[in-house]
Amino acid sequence: MNQPLLFPKWEVNPSADDLIYSLLNKGLSLCQEAENFRIQLLNTCAVRLRDILDHMVVPESMVSRSEFLAHGWIVDETDGNVLRNTAGLFPAILSGQHFAIAFKVEHVRDFVKTHRLSVTVEGKAYAPFQRAKVWQNDMVSFWVVQRNGSLAFEAHDPSDEQLRLSRIHLQTFRSRRRQFNNPGEGFDYTDKIVQKAVADLDQHWACDLFLRAEREFWMTRNYAGRVQKSRQDQMGIGWANQDHHTYDSSRTWFHRNIKVLENLGFVCRERFYAGADAGWGSQILEHIVTGK
C-alpha cells in the first residue's frame, strides 16, 4: 500500500473553472438544442452539464494553448495534442479547427434513443469507447461520449471475441457470490474472478465492468439511488456523473479489500485517520483511467 503518489494534490482552482465555464457558455449560446438540454437536465435530475463534461476541442483562435497551460493543464505524455488538468475535475482539451464540446453519458445508444436522434454511433456496442455527434452547426458541435475504461477520443473497436468475453465477465460480476462462512474464502473467490477478467481484457476495462455491477447491486438496496437513477435515465445520461464508490471494511480484512482494488488498477492516495479512539479511518484510492 506504500506506493508513490502518482497524482497531483487536489486543490480548488476557480480560475480554471471560470475558463471552462466561459467556453461552455459560449458553446451553449451558439446551439439552442444544447442549451435546452442543459436546462432540462438541471430541472429534471439536478445535474449540471458542467459536471459531466468529458473534453473540448478548442481552436487556438478562441483560447491559446499557453493559456490552458497557465491555468493548470499539462501535455498528455502519450498524445501531445491533448491537455489534461488532473488537479481537479476538468475536461481534457484537444486542439482542432472546429469548436466542439463532449459530455459523458453512461450509454450513448440510450441517450440517442431517449432523445430520438437520427445520428451515427461510433464504436461497437459494449466497446470501451463510443461516441455520437448529437447537435451541430457551423460554429460548434456537441458530442456524447461513453467510456468503459478508455482514455481514447476516437473509436478503436476490440475484437468480437473480446466483446463476448466482456459480456461474460460483466455477468460474472453481476452474479458473483457475496455470502461466505469465512471472509477469506470470499476474497479468494473475488480475487479469482477479477484476475480472470483482467487477463482476458485489461485492468481498466475489467474495473469498469466490476464497478458497473457494484452500482447495480447497490441500487437493489438503495431506494433513493433508484429514484435518482430513474430521473437521470429520463435524460439519457444514466450514471454519467458517478465519480466514486465507497467500501466499508474491518481492520482484519482491510488489506484484502485493498488488494482487490489494486488488482483492478486503483492506486492508494492519502489516508483519513480519525485517531485511535475513533475506531475508523479511510484510505483514498484513485483510478486514473476510469476517473473513480
Side-chain angles (χ1 to χ4, degrees), residues 26-40:
K26 175 66 174 177
L28 293 171
S29 71
L30 297 172
C31 181
Q32 190 59 51
E33 296 95 333
E35 172 62 7
N36 292 343
F37 172 75
R38 181 196 68 80
I39 295 171
Q40 190 179 5

Side-chain angles (χ1 to χ4, degrees), residues 65-78:
R65 187 180 179 89
S66 60
E67 185 169 354
F68 283 111
L69 294 174
H71 282 83
W73 276 264
I74 59 175
V75 179
D76 188 307
E77 293 182 356
T78 62

Side-chain angles (χ1 to χ4, degrees), residues 31-177:
C31 181
Q32 190 59 51
E33 296 95 333
E35 172 62 7
N36 292 343
F37 172 75
R38 181 196 68 80
I39 295 171
Q40 190 179 5
L41 181 67
L42 187 63
N43 292 339
T44 301
C45 51
V47 174
R48 301 183 305 179
L49 184 58
R50 161 66 182 89
D51 293 332
I52 58 172
L53 291 179
D54 183 84
H55 68 274
M56 294 180 171
V57 180
V58 184
E60 184 77 13
S61 58
M62 290 185 64
V63 179
S64 69
R65 187 180 179 89
S66 60
E67 185 169 354
F68 283 111
L69 294 174
H71 282 83
W73 276 264
I74 59 175
V75 179
D76 188 307
E77 293 182 356
T78 62
D79 187 344
N81 188 51
V82 179
L83 302 180
R84 299 186 186 276
N85 188 337
T86 56
L89 299 178
F90 297 102
I93 302 297
L94 282 66
S95 301
Q97 298 300 315
H98 185 73
F99 183 31
I101 296 173
F103 58 92
K104 294 176 285 188
V105 297
E106 188 173 17
H107 301 291
V108 166
R109 286 170 172 81
D110 286 351
F111 184 92
V112 170
K113 181 179 178 180
T114 297
H115 294 275
R116 300 179 180 179
L117 300 170
S118 297
V119 299
T120 299
V121 176
E122 300 177 17
K124 292 181 180 179
Y126 309 106
F129 180 82
Q130 300 165 57
R131 68 174 184 171
K133 187 188 297 183
V134 291
W135 305 298
Q136 64 176 322
N137 55 46
D138 291 340
M139 296 169 288
V140 66
S141 59
F142 279 82
W143 295 72
V144 291
V145 170
Q146 175 182 338
R147 296 189 182 278
N148 302 128
S150 171
L151 289 176
F153 295 99
E154 295 184 359
H156 298 285
D157 290 329
S159 67
D160 289 341
E161 175 62 13
Q162 282 186 300
L163 292 174
R164 185 186 72 85
L165 288 172
S166 75
R167 298 176 70 179
I168 291 173
H169 286 299
L170 176 59
Q171 186 56 35
T172 299
F173 291 148
R174 283 171 168 164
S175 60
R176 75 179 177 91
R177 185 180 170 191

Side-chain angles (χ1 to χ4, degrees), residues 181-200:
N181 293 327
N182 181 286
E185 295 176 4
F187 279 113
D188 290 342
Y189 164 80
T190 304
D191 284 340
K192 183 177 179 180
I193 63 173
V194 164
Q195 290 168 6
K196 176 60 175 172
V198 170
D200 285 344

